Amino acid sequence: MGGNCIFIAIYLVFCSLSRIFAVVLTEKNTLYIIMAELEVKELDQVVVRFSGDSGDGMQLAGNIFSTVSATVGNGISTFPDYPADIRAPQGSLTGVSGFQVHIGAGKVYTPGDKCDVLVAMNAAALKTQLKYAKPQATIIIDTDSFGPNDLKKAQFASEDYLGELGVDPDRVIQCPLTTMVKDCLAESGMENKAILKCRNMFALGLVCWLFDRDLSLVNNYLKEKFAKKPAIAENNIKVVQAGYDYGHNTHSSAVNVYRIESKEKVPGRYMDITGNKATAYGFIAAAEKAGLRLYLGSYPITPATDVLHELSKHKSLGVTTVQCEDEISGCASALGASFAGALGVTSTSGPGICLKSEAMNLAVIMELPLVVLDVQRGGPATGLPTKSEQTDLLQVLFGRNGESPMPVLAATSPADCFDAAYQACKIALEHMTPVVLLTDAYVANGSGAFKLPEMAKLDAINPPYVPEELKGKWTPYMRAENGTRYWAVPGREGFTHILGGLEKDSETGAISTNPENHDLMTRLRQQKIANIQVPDLEVEGDVDDADLLVVGFGSTYGHLHSAMEELRAKGYKVAQTHFKYLNPLPQNTAEVLSKYKKVVVAEQNMGQLAAYLRMKVDNFTPAQFNQVKGQPFVVEELVNAFEDILKK
């Protein structure tokens, strides 16, 4: 054959009705001959999980696959699941990073309970991630990463790792992935370390073959990502193609190729967007709509830092970002920016809210617009910094000294983070108040298909600037008809004023310790928040005759909705309502919660929303479903728990 450098590929293809009957491939004196039948099957939905070491690029491979899926019109939902270690020892059980993506022909609400396809780049990934795979799942492994040392690090007792795990070898694509990537890039001039970083692209190519994806979309993504390094882009494209060809030429006998066609295509421009990026875009859009500069004062903290990173890229849109020395200064500087007439925003996670509470209180008494983003994570203390919880609700509602009412919103999905951020800014600017926006690690790092909005169709934002006719008569706490304090931006002639943390007289704005005045100001601040108009609760499912109402808030919407639909498919009468606005509550809250025979409040904490609703709604005694695992709900567990409630 002319030596090891000779590659010969001979395809003997006989196609009829999407069937390939023979493929012959030789590579470096190795002859692969497959006599097989290949059939493309159409599915409604599928779940894929990429897993490997933190440095194996599983997040990137998953992101590219989800982006390609969104581009062709599939519904998507993703869940990055990565360790807190900066870089755990290679091949260790604690260092495994995962990325799960659920793609569907229609709308997709969750990343899926378990995957149909599991990519395991090493022995540790297979051992730790197998529990997330369905019993019949296809498993793709890199056999080069299952040597004796790899198995020892993953704490396998023998070399029969598949038997030890009880995995049927017939559903495993055992691919010498590392060797093939090295062969593919042998003449690229790349160093071995750089070549190994391309292994994720081979796995991506293999998955793209499995789901009949158009590689041109992947190629365009890589060319754009590595626009300044075209050689790297081309090498990655070459490896993706090699992975695709490996599946096409070698494994058509082991598995089927699947296609997921979009059922509903709504015209518009779409992108695959993470919750953190959508939040950043929501802030930018609100500032532009209000005609203000956007200022973000922040201190890096997982999982909120990506908002700071994204906003720092948009100086051309009038965005100013400052990485401050701590959480306190991040919040205080944002409040200073608001005093100066900008839209002030600060971002953090649960531990940072503790530190920001004093400056948040200052914003309450000064009555200045401020948006505080809390990307919740597992706690208390450092807790689970890369995992997700809903445990900050009571902290953001009540975790400040004195009577300090503050509007609170919670985003329901990665794409909804845009609208939630926009509405948080609108409330802050129009009602002169600090506002807390709750997301969490699940929606912040997860992604979904996002239709780019038209600026002209977004709600108007009209800050209550002090009218010119009040010049000479205005005082700092003079209010509009809805109880909102007028905003006088410093530098405006005739409206000089002082604000501060000491209580002020309602009429003069001077410092006051008068008991009646403090009582009045406390009530005015409370009433101002109560006057904010938020959308009514919507009820889905069996609206009029449900035997059970499922209640949640924020990021659990998709899981609870899926559980409701599964119960209805079983013949149960079930409805769902979900809170996005938590303070003030929707005006029809009591009416909705009191309408149904049984109500269950499901949340990723020990019952904070249920306690809050019991405080706000008379005679409300719901059942509760509470988990604090740092992981999203599992729909199957929800269905079983709700079914038990229905049977009681």
Side-chain angles (χ1 to χ4, degrees), residues 296-302 304-305 308 322-331 346-349 352 355-356:
L296 175 76
S298 185
Y299 182 77
I301 183 172
T302 302
T305 307
L308 170 62
V322 177
Q323 181 177 317
C324 300
E325 65 267 28
D326 54 35
E327 298 285 2
I328 301 170
S329 58
C331 189
T346 187
S347 58
T348 188
S349 189
L355 295 167
K356 293 178 186 290

Side-chain angles (χ1 to χ4, degrees), residues 600-619:
V600 58
V601 179
E603 46 189 324
Q604 292 180 307
N605 55 48
M606 295 303 290
Q608 296 184 24
L609 176 62
Y612 177 53
L613 293 175
R614 284 196 299 269
M615 184 176 74
K616 292 290 187 178
V617 180
D618 293 338
N619 302 315

Side-chain angles (χ1 to χ4, degrees), residues 38 173 204-213 215 243-245 247-249 251-252 255-258:
L38 176 63
I173 299 178
L204 174 63
L206 187 50
V207 173
C208 285
W209 164 77
L210 195 61
F211 294 102
D212 200 31
R213 290 303 185 218
L215 287 193
Y244 188 95
D245 291 342
H248 183 70
N249 299 332
H251 274 287
S252 56
V255 291
N256 288 305
V257 172
Y258 300 103

Side-chain angles (χ1 to χ4, degrees), residues 339 432 464-466 474 485-492 495-497:
F339 177 74
M432 297 295 287
Y465 295 115
V466 58
W474 175 80
R485 184 182 77 84
Y486 284 120
W487 193 9
V489 177
R492 194 171 164 192
F495 294 93
T496 303
H497 64 285

Side-chain angles (χ1 to χ4, degrees), residues 440-472:
D440 56 44
Y442 166 62
V443 293
N445 293 321
S447 65
F450 176 63
K451 183 181 179 183
L452 273 64
E454 298 179 36
M455 284 295 296
K457 294 183 179 180
L458 295 176
D459 293 343
I461 299 179
N462 300 305
Y465 295 115
V466 58
E468 187 66 24
E469 55 266 26
L470 291 178
K471 184 175 181 179

